Amino acid sequence: MFTEEKVEEKISKLPFVNYVKQKFNLGEYNPEDKRKAIVQKSGHYRVKYTGLKEYRAKFIQDLYITLIDLKWRYALAVLFNVHLFSYFFFALMWYWMMYNHGDLDHFSDPKWESCVAGVNSFADAMLFSIETQTSIGYGFAYPNTDCGGALPLLFVQITVGILLENVLLGFIFVKFAQPKRRRKTVMFSKVACVAQEEGDLCLQIRVGDMRQSHLIDAKVHGVLIKRHVTREGIAYPLFQHDVHFHANNMGDTIMLMWPLILNHRITKESPFWDIKPSDFSSEAYELVVCIEGTLETTGEFCQARTSYLPSEILWGHRFDRIEEFDAGNGRWEIDFSGFNDVVYITNIRHSAKELNPYREYRMSKDEEEKPKEKGMSISLHSVAYDVPPEFPSASASNSTEYQKSGSPKLLTRGLSQMDELERSRLSLEMEAESREVELIESSPNDTPDEQTHSGTIENKEEKEDETPLELDLGDGEPPIKDHPDSDVSDDDTIAQDEADEEESFHDVSSS
């Protein structure tokens, strides 16, 4: 079902003939016949339904949708044939009325008043029916109101004609404005690539939008159609597996302002977990990718889809870059001519399941080396070299000790670019701030015993300060105490001296 068969192409020397063959799928030119895929590149399904004869009436019950789903050649055939049938039917009705009235026997009688004046044959009746239903009215034929059935038949024909025109022209307009036509301008890459990204194998597909009015709230999802056999031995040849795609860091939501690369990470939950490049010759599967969104201009819902066979998946390749910045005009330019270009990266021969032990071993090695590079996690772009967030202390003798202290290794580049004066000034400031922080952190952390011990030491120091000083006058006598040991304070001594002087003054005055 999914395998490709080589068919010899019969190409004509005339380009016009080849175009006609390709347009109308004539001969063996159609490449979709060679792909043998369930979903064509254009998004159409290659599935044929049989055994629906007893359910044909259900299509008539849903007549309007049935007409819209018709192919264009059948839709145009319905449009012309229904109008022709309507004109012919009412021409018969007018001719039958004239026959009952006896007008056919008095065509040569100028005094006879016919039901339809100016009609002398069935061809004239056909022309009169077309003029009546389309409201043309050339003026040579007209109904006679004296005829009993002329007025009701005229009313019925005009009413039916208006109804038919609205229905038929309406469904033709809807076919023109179908939102599925919008998928013609949504581009999918012709091939899919499998490359390693962020340590895992990823299936990549490029999508793009040719229009400037993009799909709103567009989402992407995929389906892998593959044979599946249950534990009970039941085989499902067209079993559908869910395939999750994401673009950049947006999840399944995409914004097609420029072409994007859709990634499917091949993990244990992925249906591609045990598929390897050599399986495309022995195992049949097909990947269907769908993009759904709302049209910005009309607000209708649209779906674009395509499919990839095993031979259309390139392992060890990556899509080439097509985005370039035009510095002269100050804008980005997208070169759609390289939309399908891929670049060879490496030779991948194993599946993600077979490569998983090597990946886990490498991750364990990285985890072991992580503590050694703990201080190297800051990117160079996040460092301001004019005022770095951290600098080495004055005691750091070399850059190795500075790196072990937990500061970023890349900051040494900024330090090497600064002059000696600035470095020394900032180092002293950092050292002073660190000392202040240490003092602040150590003061509230003292225990009650330490506080009591420190208070005892302070009291002892105060008592030592309060001990009297001994003054040595240098005359060989014992030193004189500045404050002799006495219970009398200085104020009491002064008051006693004043009292003695006053008493001596009274004695002198009395004598």
Side-chain angles (χ1 to χ4, degrees), residues 328-382:
N329 297 322
R331 63 186 180 186
W332 285 91
E333 291 187 357
I334 310 298
D335 184 12
F336 277 90
S337 61
F339 186 81
N340 295 304
D341 293 348
V342 296
V343 179
Y344 176 77
I345 301 298
T346 184
N347 187 14
I348 301 177
R349 299 182 179 179
H350 302 277
S351 63
K353 182 179 180 180
E354 295 172 347
L355 296 175
N356 187 52
Y358 302 98
R359 175 179 172 273
E360 293 180 351
Y361 175 77
R362 186 182 57 193
M363 291 180 62
S364 62
K365 285 293 184 181
D366 294 341
E367 291 292 336
E368 293 176 359
E369 295 177 359
K370 258 188 178 181
K372 300 178 182 179
E373 301 177 357
K374 190 174 182 180
M376 304 182 186
S377 59
I378 296 182
S379 175
L380 180 62
H381 298 284
S382 63

Side-chain angles (χ1 to χ4, degrees), residues 156-377:
V156 171
Q157 184 176 4
I158 293 177
T159 304
V160 172
I162 294 174
L163 178 62
L164 288 177
E165 288 182 359
N166 290 332
V167 172
L168 296 177
L169 296 180
F171 100 85
I172 291 294
F173 174 77
V174 170
K175 283 189 70 67
F176 272 113
Q178 272 185 318
K180 67 180 182 180
R181 305 296 174 184
R182 177 64 172 83
R183 69 187 180 192
K184 301 293 184 180
T185 54
V186 176
M187 300 177 60
F188 291 91
S189 59
K190 293 182 179 180
V191 296
C193 297
V194 176
Q196 188 173 9
E197 188 165 323
E198 299 293 341
D200 295 325
L201 288 181
C202 291
L203 177 69
Q204 298 181 340
I205 297 170
R206 177 178 279 171
V207 296
D209 194 355
M210 298 169 56
R211 294 189 179 275
Q212 295 294 333
S213 56
H214 305 293
L215 297 177
I216 300 174
D217 194 21
K219 295 185 179 297
V220 59
H221 66 276
V223 176
L224 181 67
I225 303 174
K226 181 182 175 183
R227 178 183 174 87
H228 176 71
V229 180
T230 63
R231 297 179 180 178
E232 294 77 13
I234 302 175
Y236 294 93
L238 300 178
F239 196 83
Q240 299 182 10
H241 302 266
D242 190 16
V243 180
H244 295 281
F245 282 93
H246 68 275
N248 303 138
N249 200 22
M250 294 289 292
D252 60 349
T253 302
I254 58 176
M255 297 183 65
L256 293 176
M257 295 183 292
W258 51 78
L260 296 175
I261 295 179
L262 306 178
N263 287 277
H264 167 67
R265 196 171 299 278
I266 302 178
T267 58
K268 294 182 180 180
E269 293 78 16
S270 172
F272 288 92
W273 177 247
D274 55 351
I275 296 179
K276 53 187 177 181
S278 60
D279 290 340
F280 80 91
S281 59
S282 59
E283 187 172 357
Y285 61 89
E286 181 176 349
L287 175 64
V288 181
V289 182
C290 302
I291 294 180
E292 300 173 347
T294 305
L295 301 184
E296 186 178 5
T297 53
T298 61
E300 296 177 318
F301 191 77
C302 173
Q303 184 188 74
R305 53 185 176 266
T306 188
S307 68
Y308 298 93
L309 295 177
S311 59
E312 296 170 344
I313 300 177
L314 304 180
W315 293 72
H317 290 71
R318 188 183 299 275
F319 287 100
D320 195 8
R321 176 177 172 178
I322 61 175
E323 305 92 356
E324 293 292 341
F325 183 74
D326 186 2
N329 297 322
R331 63 186 180 186
W332 285 91
E333 291 187 357
I334 310 298
D335 184 12
F336 277 90
S337 61
F339 186 81
N340 295 304
D341 293 348
V342 296
V343 179
Y344 176 77
I345 301 298
T346 184
N347 187 14
I348 301 177
R349 299 182 179 179
H350 302 277
S351 63
K353 182 179 180 180
E354 295 172 347
L355 296 175
N356 187 52
Y358 302 98
R359 175 179 172 273
E360 293 180 351
Y361 175 77
R362 186 182 57 193
M363 291 180 62
S364 62
K365 285 293 184 181
D366 294 341
E367 291 292 336
E368 293 176 359
E369 295 177 359
K370 258 188 178 181
K372 300 178 182 179
E373 301 177 357
K374 190 174 182 180
M376 304 182 186
S377 59

Side-chain angles (χ1 to χ4, degrees), residues 40-52:
Q40 300 178 357
K41 285 293 185 181
S42 59
H44 295 90
Y45 299 111
R46 297 182 69 253
V47 179
K48 182 180 180 180
Y49 296 161
T50 59
L52 295 176

Side-chain angles (χ1 to χ4, degrees), residues 14 194 472:
L14 300 176
V194 176
D472 189 2

Side-chain angles (χ1 to χ4, degrees), residues 378-389 391 409-418 422 426:
I378 296 182
S379 175
L380 180 62
H381 298 284
S382 63
V383 177
Y385 286 111
D386 51 352
V387 183
F391 292 95
K409 178 181 179 181
L410 295 175
L411 289 178
T412 57
R413 299 182 182 178
L415 295 176
S416 63
Q417 297 176 1
M418 303 179 64
E422 187 70 13
L426 294 174

